[in-house]
């Protein structure tokens, strides 16, 4: 039986995740778990090996379907922080808070803290972040009541 590309990748990934869960409360040298939530952009571009070495096995692994097959993502979930993978590198990070805002904050708070967005749509605001060797963006997802429902740091070139 031939498995779809995403299923094969998940199978191999789950088999390779044998290190116990360390969780994102473990710190990177010179930082704290709180620092991670304030600027998670350093995770974008991290390799599979570096994430497993630093944080251990994820608490959950799941797939997110895109509109096209090439847009499917494998996601590692670590206690509220989700890492989206492209090949063997993190291309997007979802966090509950960061950059002075958090889930539940009203749109007005986001604009007062982060300023004018690069792109403004009905359900999201996109802000430019400082580059780390590639362009980075922060997408603030908004609910129907214009409250923050998600924060995503990502590479827009993927």
């Amino acid at each position: 039986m031939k498995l779809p590309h995403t299923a094969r990748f998940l199978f191999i990934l789950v088999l390779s995740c044998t290190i116990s869960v360390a969780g994102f409360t473990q710190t990177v040298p010179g930082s704290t778990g709180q620092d991670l939530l304030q600027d998670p952009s350093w995770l974008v571009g991290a390799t599979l090996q570096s994430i497993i070495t630093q944080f251990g096995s994820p608490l959950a692994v799941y797939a997110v379907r895109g509109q096209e097959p090439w847009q499917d993502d494998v996601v590692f979930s670590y206690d509220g922080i989700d890492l989206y993978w492209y090949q063997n590198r993190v291309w997007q990070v979802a966090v509950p808070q960061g950059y002075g805002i958090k889930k539940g904050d009203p749109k007005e708070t986001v604009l007062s803290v982060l300023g004018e967005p690069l792109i403004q749509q009905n359900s999201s605001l996109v802000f430019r972040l400082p580059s780390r060797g590639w362009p980075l963006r922060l997408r603030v997802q908004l609910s129907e009541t214009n409250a923050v429902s998600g924060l995503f740091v990502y590479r827009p070139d993927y």
Side-chain angles (χ1 to χ4, degrees), residues 3-13 62-65 69 71-74:
L3 296 172
H5 176 71
T6 303
R8 280 194 314 257
F9 183 73
L10 277 172
F11 179 73
I12 292 167
L13 217 45
Y62 61 94
V64 174
R65 287 279 182 207
Q71 294 173 323
D72 292 354
D73 288 310
V74 172

Side-chain angles (χ1 to χ4, degrees), residues 110-132:
V110 174
L111 295 173
S112 69
V113 171
L114 299 176
E116 193 63 31
L118 179 67
I119 301 169
Q120 186 165 350
Q121 299 172 333
N122 288 339
S123 62
S124 65
L125 305 169
V126 177
F127 298 88
R128 186 183 323 261
L129 294 175
S131 174
R132 291 190 182 260

Side-chain angles (χ1 to χ4, degrees), residues 1-156:
M1 181 174 120
K2 187 170 180 173
L3 296 172
H5 176 71
T6 303
R8 280 194 314 257
F9 183 73
L10 277 172
F11 179 73
I12 292 167
L13 217 45
V14 170
L15 286 178
S16 68
C17 295
T18 58
I19 302 171
S20 65
V21 175
F24 272 98
T25 55
Q26 179 175 344
T27 61
V28 177
S31 74
T32 66
Q34 192 63 23
D35 291 339
L36 169 64
L37 291 176
Q38 290 310 308
D39 182 12
S41 67
W42 66 271
L43 289 167
V44 176
T47 65
L48 177 60
Q49 181 180 356
S50 69
I51 293 296
I52 297 296
T53 300
Q54 184 68 36
F55 302 111
S57 297
L59 298 174
V61 177
Y62 61 94
V64 174
R65 287 279 182 207
Q67 292 179 347
E68 300 291 329
W70 64 269
Q71 294 173 323
D72 292 354
D73 288 310
V74 172
V75 181
F76 280 18
S77 186
Y78 288 95
D79 198 23
I81 297 172
D82 291 341
L83 303 178
Y84 292 70
W85 295 89
Y86 176 75
Q87 293 182 355
N88 69 339
R89 292 196 179 264
V90 175
W91 80 272
Q92 178 172 261
V93 180
V95 292
Q97 65 183 36
Y99 307 100
I101 59 173
K102 63 185 178 313
K103 284 185 178 181
D105 283 348
K107 179 179 177 181
E108 295 75 25
T109 299
V110 174
L111 295 173
S112 69
V113 171
L114 299 176
E116 193 63 31
L118 179 67
I119 301 169
Q120 186 165 350
Q121 299 172 333
N122 288 339
S123 62
S124 65
L125 305 169
V126 177
F127 298 88
R128 186 183 323 261
L129 294 175
S131 174
R132 291 190 182 260
W134 44 72
L136 288 169
R137 302 286 185 269
L138 169 64
R139 181 170 43 93
V140 178
Q141 196 68 37
L142 300 171
S143 69
E144 292 176 3
T145 61
N146 273 335
V148 175
S149 61
L151 299 166
F152 300 87
V153 177
Y154 66 98
R155 285 185 66 167

